[in-house]
Amino acid sequence: MTRREKILAYLKSQDEAASEGMTTLAISEALGLVRSNVSKELNTLVREDILKKSNGRPVRYFLVVEDDTTKKQVNKNKISADKSDKKKRQIAEEARSQDNSASSETDFFETMIGRKDSLKNQVEQAKAAILYPPHGLNVLITGPTGSGKTYFANAMYQFAREKDVLSHEDMTVFNCADYAHNPQLLMSQLFGYTKGAFTGANEEKDGLIQQSDGGMLFLDEVHRLPPEGQEMIFYFMDHGTYSKLGESGKTHHADVRLVCATTEDPESSLLQTFVRRIPIMIQMPAFKERTMRERVAMLKRLLTIEANRIQRNIRLNEDVVQALIGSVTYGNVGQLKSNIQLVCAQGFLGSINNESEIKLDFDSMPTNIKDGLPRLASNREEQSRLTKLLEPTMIVHPDNSTRAPADRDNYELPYNLYEVIGEKAQVLQDEGLDHAAINNFIMTDINVHLKSFYKNAKFDRTEKSFNEIIDQDIIDVTNEIGRFLKEERYDVGENYLYGMSLHISSFIKRVQSGKPLRRVANNIISMVNDYPREFDLAKKIKKMLEEHYNMPVPDSELYYLAILLASLKAEPEIGKVGIVVAAHGDSTASSMVHVVKQLLSADNLESFDMALEMDPQTALKGIAHKVKRVDRGNGVLLMVDMGSLGTFNGKIEKMTGAAVKTIDMVTTAMVLEAARKSSLIDSDLELIYNELNDFNGYSRPMIESEQNVGNLDSLEVSDSRQRAIVALCATGQGTAEKIKEILDGILVDHLIDDIVVIPISVVGMSQTLEDLKRNYNIIATTGVTRPKIPVPFISLEDLLQGGGEKFISLIQEMEDTPEKGEDVQVDLESSEDLTEQKAQQYLGQYFTFINPQKLIGVLWNYCDYIAERVDFEFTNSLRISVVMHLAGAIERCLTNSPMTASNAEIRSVQESTLYQIIVRANKVIETTLNLKLSEEEIYYIVKLFDTEIAG
């Protein structure tokens, strides 16, 4: 078919060619032909009286009425074709037309912009994945935020339906980010679960994989799947089978086509075993990587969607088109769609009385969108390409067919914004407001009305992305106001930075341009009466703006600021009871909370560690601060290690305004149970408090009480103090913390819930132990040295070599035969000899910020240097204590977490021979690592050796 025939056939297929006419640009885009060639053919057809054209701009071409065309064709045709040949040609043409029509109806990709250019390879990959026998291939779609990954996945689904390769009609969509904070819940959503698989699993339920059997499952943000989830998915890809949560020995089969999407680099964000099982990787281009013709086509399609919503034409000039295309900085097509919705909403408001057309005016557009024009102009080549494709004026008509294919569009508002604007304007008009006042009020609302979009869309809302559209100075002022609001305990949503900075930017630009300031009608003032607190805060913000910009801010701005604050206010999260754990010791409470957070991924826990010498007022203020942080409107459970802290209840409630209940004698198991119960939807503070009072732990049934019933004379008064294991190191913060982590893990594994591990320093060890005995029943000790108390002890060397399990078993045995506990030393005959490689392994296991491979040789030489110069035995136990302590000291230097010691304490060791040896040994570290240990660190090293010598 010749170019001329294609153009004429296309015009005859378009109803508007006979009524409204078509532009050269529209025809060239539709057919993919060069605009100049299309113009030449159209003018030839005009000269032949087959078409006629309008006089104005843009020039429109109309089909001549059928009757006139027939007459002119009869006059022009001198040769009559053979009837049979003509019939054959008609049949062939009809057949081709039917083929094209069928192809169009059964290939959704044909409607996709860029299918023959920037998306050509992607479309071919998608078709191959869907049609590959027997069940297609799994696909991973990658690309930046807003590039159209969901759109493309939906196009694949539509194509698969058209080709009749799916037996299940619907595409199932699952966003892995929705449950990323709770891996267990995420996995239960995908694979289903059995009754009793976890708390709240009251009946068996199929997962999304089973629901998608015979169809397509789209996993968005798949990089948020935990590693165990990725492993289960790739097992399913390999075998087509899976098990529900809580099942063992039973599998299910499903035939599911998997389409995954991610904004991240698959090589770094996904398991390689997962990536290798996905044969088709489709990369979606960013908006700036699309051809200029495609960008204009996307703009027109999105404008057509808005025209369909309001059933009016949309008129815009060349400047508006360039500004919109240039305004896309970080959000790709999604950002373009949002910007178009915003300017169309503004245009609709400005043309609300025009029933046939709305006009998008460049001057009235938001500054961040207008800035797209100079941004585009800075790239002359880009602007030149765009200018060649544009007419001076673009008119977009409703066509009632253009729509986004996705049922779930991350960039689609969940309501008709134009209906909201129209209804609101009518209400304000009925209340007697003039047109200017209505516009001012609603425009303020429109600027934040899209916050539901920004909340759910996946734009990068960091300061870096805002810096591209808003001055840094305005962002700084907005952050300063944000800190003020936080101090006032006025919570704003995550869209605060966007909403407030845009508002301030608009106000400053209006003042700088000399435009008249906004006038506020009495009716709007009365509306603000519903927000007295916001109005008071607005007064203070007004003062902050005046001081920063050194100019007066009119009182009228107060009302718009108050409305803005009300719009940006965060919705309170009510329903989850907060939990604060407070206990004596440098890390007792925080360790319990750390264990529970790891087990349950709980986000409603805070800890407060109280040093033994901390005064009550400091403790009260610290706990009250934690209660404030964790309170979500449904009360806070305070879990403490001593009943005396329960007297804080009333004071904390007054200080925080939160309801507080206190549980004493806290254990890790109790915190675990409290966190589990608070995660249930119907839990409240009173219910959790009552149930925890009856909680007896996970592992200790009340057998003794049953055995002793009726034999009260034989009962002894039990020790009511909390049972504790004391972990010792030189500082109480380094190695002892690592010991605590090891033992906490073992205790949890053994379901022992009534023992706490308390790390302490060897400095002042005897007094600290005496203080602890008043509140704790010390049942064992471990660490760098053995204190002189009659309880079991395990050395650090033995503990690191796996002796922890035996240590705990010994403690459990002592419950039946307490006389065994006196003066017991746990010696592990099976322990390996300490080697440099073994010590390196310990360092890698328990330290984060050091390189064990590079460090172990230095520390080993350090120990050798001292061992050669002291007159006491340098045992393996002492060597591992020194290595672990020095690693902690170096890590503290790297993380700028210095230890403290008084001048008197430091002076007390400086005259000793050992001090001089250690100072010289430190040269090894200084020379090799370029790191100088402080006098405080040297003091604790000396005390470590002193303790060993004294022992």
PDB file of all heavy atoms in Angstrom, residues 425-442:
ATOM      1  N   ALA A 425     -16.842  23.905  44.987  1.00  0.00           N
ATOM      2  CA  ALA A 425     -17.072  25.251  44.463  1.00  0.00           C
ATOM      3  C   ALA A 425     -18.538  25.640  44.586  1.00  0.00           C
ATOM      4  O   ALA A 425     -18.869  26.790  44.911  1.00  0.00           O
ATOM      5  CB  ALA A 425     -16.626  25.320  43.002  1.00  0.00           C
ATOM      6  N   GLN A 426     -19.433  24.677  44.347  1.00  0.00           N
ATOM      7  CA  GLN A 426     -20.865  24.974  44.442  1.00  0.00           C
ATOM      8  C   GLN A 426     -21.257  25.313  45.877  1.00  0.00           C
ATOM      9  O   GLN A 426     -22.024  26.247  46.126  1.00  0.00           O
ATOM     10  CB  GLN A 426     -21.677  23.770  43.942  1.00  0.00           C
ATOM     11  CG  GLN A 426     -23.183  24.022  43.862  1.00  0.00           C
ATOM     12  CD  GLN A 426     -23.526  25.152  42.906  1.00  0.00           C
ATOM     13  OE1 GLN A 426     -23.089  25.149  41.764  1.00  0.00           O
ATOM     14  NE2 GLN A 426     -24.282  26.138  43.380  1.00  0.00           N
ATOM     15  N   VAL A 427     -20.695  24.552  46.828  1.00  0.00           N
ATOM     16  CA  VAL A 427     -20.991  24.817  48.240  1.00  0.00           C
ATOM     17  C   VAL A 427     -20.530  26.219  48.627  1.00  0.00           C
ATOM     18  O   VAL A 427     -21.250  26.990  49.267  1.00  0.00           O
ATOM     19  CB  VAL A 427     -20.310  23.749  49.139  1.00  0.00           C
ATOM     20  CG1 VAL A 427     -20.385  24.160  50.600  1.00  0.00           C
ATOM     21  CG2 VAL A 427     -20.966  22.387  48.937  1.00  0.00           C
ATOM     22  N   LEU A 428     -19.305  26.578  48.232  1.00  0.00           N
ATOM     23  CA  LEU A 428     -18.761  27.894  48.572  1.00  0.00           C
ATOM     24  C   LEU A 428     -19.552  29.007  47.883  1.00  0.00           C
ATOM     25  O   LEU A 428     -19.768  30.083  48.445  1.00  0.00           O
ATOM     26  CB  LEU A 428     -17.285  27.972  48.178  1.00  0.00           C
ATOM     27  CG  LEU A 428     -16.346  27.024  48.935  1.00  0.00           C
ATOM     28  CD1 LEU A 428     -14.934  27.100  48.365  1.00  0.00           C
ATOM     29  CD2 LEU A 428     -16.324  27.349  50.417  1.00  0.00           C
ATOM     30  N   GLN A 429     -19.982  28.739  46.657  1.00  0.00           N
ATOM     31  CA  GLN A 429     -20.784  29.736  45.929  1.00  0.00           C
ATOM     32  C   GLN A 429     -22.120  29.946  46.624  1.00  0.00           C
ATOM     33  O   GLN A 429     -22.600  31.074  46.753  1.00  0.00           O
ATOM     34  CB  GLN A 429     -20.998  29.283  44.482  1.00  0.00           C
ATOM     35  CG  GLN A 429     -21.584  30.359  43.566  1.00  0.00           C
ATOM     36  CD  GLN A 429     -21.603  29.888  42.120  1.00  0.00           C
ATOM     37  OE1 GLN A 429     -21.029  28.868  41.777  1.00  0.00           O
ATOM     38  NE2 GLN A 429     -22.272  30.645  41.275  1.00  0.00           N
ATOM     39  N   ASP A 430     -22.718  28.850  47.094  1.00  0.00           N
ATOM     40  CA  ASP A 430     -24.000  28.961  47.789  1.00  0.00           C
ATOM     41  C   ASP A 430     -23.861  29.744  49.096  1.00  0.00           C
ATOM     42  O   ASP A 430     -24.834  30.331  49.587  1.00  0.00           O
ATOM     43  CB  ASP A 430     -24.561  27.559  48.090  1.00  0.00           C
ATOM     44  CG  ASP A 430     -24.978  26.835  46.816  1.00  0.00           C
ATOM     45  OD1 ASP A 430     -25.123  27.507  45.773  1.00  0.00           O
ATOM     46  OD2 ASP A 430     -25.142  25.600  46.869  1.00  0.00           O
ATOM     47  N   GLU A 431     -22.630  29.731  49.664  1.00  0.00           N
ATOM     48  CA  GLU A 431     -22.409  30.465  50.897  1.00  0.00           C
ATOM     49  C   GLU A 431     -22.077  31.934  50.649  1.00  0.00           C
ATOM     50  O   GLU A 431     -21.790  32.689  51.579  1.00  0.00           O
ATOM     51  CB  GLU A 431     -21.273  29.811  51.700  1.00  0.00           C
ATOM     52  CG  GLU A 431     -21.649  28.440  52.239  1.00  0.00           C
ATOM     53  CD  GLU A 431     -20.564  27.854  53.125  1.00  0.00           C
ATOM     54  OE1 GLU A 431     -19.544  28.533  53.340  1.00  0.00           O
ATOM     55  OE2 GLU A 431     -20.742  26.718  53.606  1.00  0.00           O
ATOM     56  N   GLY A 432     -22.084  32.330  49.374  1.00  0.00           N
ATOM     57  CA  GLY A 432     -21.927  33.749  49.060  1.00  0.00           C
ATOM     58  C   GLY A 432     -20.520  34.197  48.763  1.00  0.00           C
ATOM     59  O   GLY A 432     -20.264  35.408  48.668  1.00  0.00           O
ATOM     60  N   LEU A 433     -19.569  33.269  48.593  1.00  0.00           N
ATOM     61  CA  LEU A 433     -18.195  33.666  48.292  1.00  0.00           C
ATOM     62  C   LEU A 433     -18.092  34.101  46.836  1.00  0.00           C
ATOM     63  O   LEU A 433     -18.765  33.545  45.951  1.00  0.00           O
ATOM     64  CB  LEU A 433     -17.226  32.517  48.543  1.00  0.00           C
ATOM     65  CG  LEU A 433     -16.684  32.381  49.976  1.00  0.00           C
ATOM     66  CD1 LEU A 433     -17.789  31.984  50.931  1.00  0.00           C
ATOM     67  CD2 LEU A 433     -15.546  31.382  50.019  1.00  0.00           C
ATOM     68  N   ASP A 434     -17.234  35.093  46.585  1.00  0.00           N
ATOM     69  CA  ASP A 434     -17.050  35.519  45.201  1.00  0.00           C
ATOM     70  C   ASP A 434     -16.088  34.570  44.494  1.00  0.00           C
ATOM     71  O   ASP A 434     -15.462  33.701  45.103  1.00  0.00           O
ATOM     72  CB  ASP A 434     -16.532  36.963  45.121  1.00  0.00           C
ATOM     73  CG  ASP A 434     -15.210  37.153  45.852  1.00  0.00           C
ATOM     74  OD1 ASP A 434     -14.422  36.188  45.914  1.00  0.00           O
ATOM     75  OD2 ASP A 434     -14.965  38.268  46.346  1.00  0.00           O
ATOM     76  N   HIS A 435     -15.947  34.760  43.189  1.00  0.00           N
ATOM     77  CA  HIS A 435     -15.181  33.826  42.364  1.00  0.00           C
ATOM     78  C   HIS A 435     -13.711  33.766  42.808  1.00  0.00           C
ATOM     79  O   HIS A 435     -13.105  32.685  42.887  1.00  0.00           O
ATOM     80  CB  HIS A 435     -15.277  34.247  40.893  1.00  0.00           C
ATOM     81  CG  HIS A 435     -14.565  33.319  39.952  1.00  0.00           C
ATOM     82  ND1 HIS A 435     -15.002  32.028  39.707  1.00  0.00           N
ATOM     83  CD2 HIS A 435     -13.424  33.479  39.212  1.00  0.00           C
ATOM     84  CE1 HIS A 435     -14.192  31.440  38.845  1.00  0.00           C
ATOM     85  NE2 HIS A 435     -13.219  32.305  38.537  1.00  0.00           N
ATOM     86  N   ALA A 436     -13.111  34.927  43.118  1.00  0.00           N
ATOM     87  CA  ALA A 436     -11.703  34.963  43.516  1.00  0.00           C
ATOM     88  C   ALA A 436     -11.478  34.222  44.831  1.00  0.00           C
ATOM     89  O   ALA A 436     -10.502  33.480  44.984  1.00  0.00           O
ATOM     90  CB  ALA A 436     -11.233  36.416  43.644  1.00  0.00           C
ATOM     91  N   ALA A 437     -12.384  34.404  45.774  1.00  0.00           N
ATOM     92  CA  ALA A 437     -12.250  33.743  47.069  1.00  0.00           C
ATOM     93  C   ALA A 437     -12.380  32.229  46.924  1.00  0.00           C
ATOM     94  O   ALA A 437     -11.655  31.458  47.555  1.00  0.00           O
ATOM     95  CB  ALA A 437     -13.291  34.269  48.050  1.00  0.00           C
ATOM     96  N   ILE A 438     -13.321  31.806  46.076  1.00  0.00           N
ATOM     97  CA  ILE A 438     -13.508  30.372  45.829  1.00  0.00           C
ATOM     98  C   ILE A 438     -12.236  29.779  45.233  1.00  0.00           C
ATOM     99  O   ILE A 438     -11.751  28.729  45.661  1.00  0.00           O
ATOM    100  CB  ILE A 438     -14.715  30.127  44.892  1.00  0.00           C
ATOM    101  CG1 ILE A 438     -16.015  30.499  45.606  1.00  0.00           C
ATOM    102  CG2 ILE A 438     -14.756  28.677  44.426  1.00  0.00           C
ATOM    103  CD1 ILE A 438     -17.241  30.452  44.717  1.00  0.00           C
ATOM    104  N   ASN A 439     -11.670  30.487  44.257  1.00  0.00           N
ATOM    105  CA  ASN A 439     -10.442  29.994  43.622  1.00  0.00           C
ATOM    106  C   ASN A 439      -9.299  29.883  44.616  1.00  0.00           C
ATOM    107  O   ASN A 439      -8.553  28.896  44.641  1.00  0.00           O
ATOM    108  CB  ASN A 439     -10.036  30.924  42.476  1.00  0.00           C
ATOM    109  CG  ASN A 439     -10.821  30.621  41.207  1.00  0.00           C
ATOM    110  OD1 ASN A 439     -11.751  29.826  41.226  1.00  0.00           O
ATOM    111  ND2 ASN A 439     -10.451  31.258  40.118  1.00  0.00           N
ATOM    112  N   ASN A 440      -9.146  30.912  45.452  1.00  0.00           N
ATOM    113  CA  ASN A 440      -8.060  30.903  46.438  1.00  0.00           C
ATOM    114  C   ASN A 440      -8.191  29.732  47.400  1.00  0.00           C
ATOM    115  O   ASN A 440      -7.224  29.030  47.714  1.00  0.00           O
ATOM    116  CB  ASN A 440      -8.045  32.217  47.233  1.00  0.00           C
ATOM    117  CG  ASN A 440      -7.449  33.356  46.438  1.00  0.00           C
ATOM    118  OD1 ASN A 440      -6.649  33.128  45.543  1.00  0.00           O
ATOM    119  ND2 ASN A 440      -7.845  34.577  46.748  1.00  0.00           N
ATOM    120  N   PHE A 441      -9.417  29.520  47.878  1.00  0.00           N
ATOM    121  CA  PHE A 441      -9.649  28.458  48.857  1.00  0.00           C
ATOM    122  C   PHE A 441      -9.394  27.079  48.247  1.00  0.00           C
ATOM    123  O   PHE A 441      -8.673  26.252  48.804  1.00  0.00           O
ATOM    124  CB  PHE A 441     -11.086  28.541  49.382  1.00  0.00           C
ATOM    125  CG  PHE A 441     -11.379  27.521  50.454  1.00  0.00           C
ATOM    126  CD1 PHE A 441     -10.958  27.724  51.754  1.00  0.00           C
ATOM    127  CD2 PHE A 441     -12.049  26.352  50.153  1.00  0.00           C
ATOM    128  CE1 PHE A 441     -11.207  26.779  52.739  1.00  0.00           C
ATOM    129  CE2 PHE A 441     -12.315  25.403  51.125  1.00  0.00           C
ATOM    130  CZ  PHE A 441     -11.894  25.626  52.421  1.00  0.00           C
ATOM    131  N   ILE A 442      -9.973  26.855  47.067  1.00  0.00           N
ATOM    132  CA  ILE A 442      -9.867  25.522  46.470  1.00  0.00           C
ATOM    133  C   ILE A 442      -8.458  25.260  45.949  1.00  0.00           C
ATOM    134  O   ILE A 442      -7.959  24.136  46.022  1.00  0.00           O
ATOM    135  CB  ILE A 442     -10.915  25.355  45.353  1.00  0.00           C
ATOM    136  CG1 ILE A 442     -12.326  25.404  45.967  1.00  0.00           C
ATOM    137  CG2 ILE A 442     -10.711  24.032  44.619  1.00  0.00           C
ATOM    138  CD1 ILE A 442     -13.445  25.211  44.975  1.00  0.00           C
TER     139      ILE A 442
END
